Amino acid sequence: MNQAARAAEAFERLHGRSPAGVWSAPGRVNLIGEHTDYNDGFVLPFAIPHRTAVAASPRDDDTIKVSTLHDRGRAETADPVRISDLAPGTISGWPAYPSGVAWVLRQQGISAGADLVIAGDVPAGAGLSSSHSLECATALALLGLAGSTQSTSDIAKWIQQAENDFVGAPTGLLDQTASLNCTEAHVLFLDVRSGEAEQVPFDASRHGLEVLVIDTRASHSHTESGYGARRRGCEQAAEILGIPALRDVSLDELDGSLAKLPEELRPLVKHVVTENDRVLQTVALLKQDKYAEIGPLLSASHASLRDDYRVSCDELDVAAEAAEAAGALGARMIGGGFGGSAIALVRGDARAEVEAAVTEAFAKRSFTAPRMFTGVPSAGAGQDR
Ligand code: GLA
């Protein structure tokens, strides 16, 4: 049963009536372009088949009541809250995500009282944007109930506000834009500064390749991790350089710019500038059908995130190294880092070997066994019923 059907069924069980509608949104993999979004740069995500669905019906008492479906059908319901009582810091844990969306929509004048029932299969804490998929599905549900149609770029910005100000995670625009806008069989080439997005065909299997997603099951949290510190470092560097964002440093200007910066900020800038360039190179190669050649760019991205940006961790490094040693054409950590997932570009006939090698490398170090699946570019968010 898909997530929309699970959410609808649970809604009926909990509320004794059918929901007015069901909306769902996927998690994402970012092929390349990490920690570039809040620097006004380039990203290249695709949606994964895993989704979060929200079954919803309106309420007329300015209240949201949210339930979530756990394994084996057990539902957990958060205390109902009046939307006018919502304020940053008032809600913690998973209910903070749907509540933050209701809070931000209220600020836009969109009335959003609702009963919501959530079902999803995006692995939580795996760097695959489970929280953003929940926020996107919630936003579409509440907007749908209110009969309000908004551009996906507005919705993405509101979700960012909910994340930054309500949940307290200083994240950028990558995840929600991917979840809202990605399409099947494409990567989304997004210029975060201009908001311009291009769907670039991405069919690895036609080239005998697969994007193997490796969930290391090492946990991460953007509210507690060094994510905010990296972001502040980038903003500080841009200020010293007298530019709006690090996006404005070209590869040619990199050395000159680095010379103007205090030593501790240099590696951050080096990563962002070279990573933006790697996104552009990747897009160019994909358009020329040179899929295998993106492998070294993925690996260079990982090295830069590990050595310069310093957001990797042992599990991610071991996953990338073991995959490459077993024949992957390239591998990298994805998402914010400090845990979560990595991806490896592998030839279809080498996949089993790569999987076995990663599993063995984890066992050897007594890490929790990783989970792996093929990342197939899937549909973005929408209404299911
Ligand atoms: C997290 C954030 C995104 C982005 C990535 C790193 O996923 O939510 O906005 O910054 O980290 O690229």
Side-chain angles (χ1 to χ4, degrees):
M1 198 192 301
N2 70 22
Q3 300 310 314
R6 285 183 72 217
E9 196 182 274
F11 190 103
E12 278 172 28
R13 184 155 48 86
L14 293 166
H15 294 285
R17 61 195 155 96
S18 302
V22 185
W23 291 260
S24 70
R28 62 95 190 92
V29 153
N30 192 18
L31 189 59
I32 197 159
E34 223 62 83
H35 289 277
T36 47
D37 63 345
Y38 53 81
N39 290 298
D40 271 4
F42 304 110
V43 293
L44 196 63
F46 63 83
I48 56 175
H50 307 72
R51 299 177 80 85
T52 303
V54 172
S57 281
R59 289 174 66 116
D60 53 14
D61 58 356
D62 189 45
T63 295
I64 59 163
K65 183 175 173 191
V66 195
S67 307
T68 191
L69 208 54
H70 294 297
D71 291 345
R72 282 181 242 111
R74 188 175 60 85
E76 179 189 344
T77 301
D79 291 337
V81 273
R82 285 183 72 85
I83 296 166
S84 48
D85 291 343
L86 288 172
T90 51
I91 311 275
S92 60
W94 65 268
Y97 298 102
S99 306
V101 172
W103 172 79
V104 81
L105 291 182
R106 170 56 53 92
Q107 291 178 11
Q108 298 302 322
I110 296 160
S111 169
D115 288 320
L116 305 174
V117 177
I118 302 161
D121 64 354
V122 185
L128 299 169
S129 287
S130 63
S131 57
H132 274 102
S133 70
L134 170 54
E135 289 164 321
C136 289
T138 304
L140 293 187
L142 295 180
L143 289 166
L145 294 181
S148 173
T149 45
Q150 306 287 341
S151 71
T152 51
S153 60
D154 280 344
I155 301 172
K157 280 177 197 148
W158 296 339
I159 290 174
Q160 185 183 27
Q161 206 184 323
E163 272 263 322
N164 292 180
D165 299 342
F166 194 90
V167 177
T171 49
L173 280 163
L174 163 66
D175 303 337
Q176 61 276 54
T177 308
S179 186
L180 292 167
N181 293 312
C182 281
T183 56
E184 264 175 61
H186 291 85
V187 281
L188 183 78
F189 174 36
L190 174 71
D191 176 343
V192 178
R193 169 167 284 169
S194 68
E196 225 169 276
E198 182 186 348
Q199 303 282 352
V200 179
F202 184 69
D203 183 357
S205 64
R206 197 165 52 83
H207 296 260
L209 297 171
E210 278 183 35
V211 177
L212 182 66
V213 182
I214 307 162
D215 171 7
T216 66
R217 299 175 75 198
S219 70
H220 71 135
S221 157
H222 296 320
T223 34
E224 290 151 28
S225 71
Y227 185 97
R230 303 297 186 289
R231 185 171 182 161
R232 281 192 300 279
C234 290
E235 285 162 1
Q236 213 184 326
E239 205 180 307
I240 296 172
L241 294 171
I243 50 177
L246 292 184
R247 152 69 176 277
D248 296 300
V249 181
S250 70
L251 202 55
D252 292 343
E253 295 161 343
L254 178 58
D255 288 341
S257 298
L258 292 182
K260 294 181 195 148
L261 293 169
E263 205 160 333
E264 71 274 13
L265 296 179
R266 288 179 197 164
L268 297 182
V269 176
K270 188 174 157 215
H271 166 72
V272 173
V273 174
T274 57
E275 184 78 352
N276 274 328
D277 183 64
R278 283 186 285 271
V279 177
L280 300 179
Q281 288 190 56
T282 302
V283 171
L285 287 170
L286 293 180
K287 286 183 175 173
Q288 294 163 46
D289 253 355
K290 294 180 177 164
Y291 278 50
E293 288 180 36
I294 72 169
L297 293 168
L298 303 183
S299 299
S301 169
H302 185 81
S304 180
L305 289 158
R306 180 191 61 210
D307 303 335
D308 287 332
Y309 218 68
R310 293 175 166 270
V311 289
S312 191
C313 64
D314 288 348
E315 289 86 348
L316 289 166
D317 291 344
V318 167
E321 273 160 34
E324 279 179 13
L329 304 176
R332 61 179 290 270
M333 55 153 282
I334 59 165
F338 309 104
S341 296
I343 53 170
L345 183 69
V346 299
R347 296 199 189 283
D349 55 13
R351 182 206 160 124
E353 214 169 306
V354 171
E355 246 186 274
V358 173
T359 304
E360 196 188 312
F362 270 52
K364 218 161 121 192
R365 287 166 184 79
S366 306
F367 294 161
T368 307
R371 289 197 193 111
M372 289 174 249
F373 65 92
T374 303
V376 178
S378 303
Q383 181 164 12
D384 295 86
R385 42 166 93 187

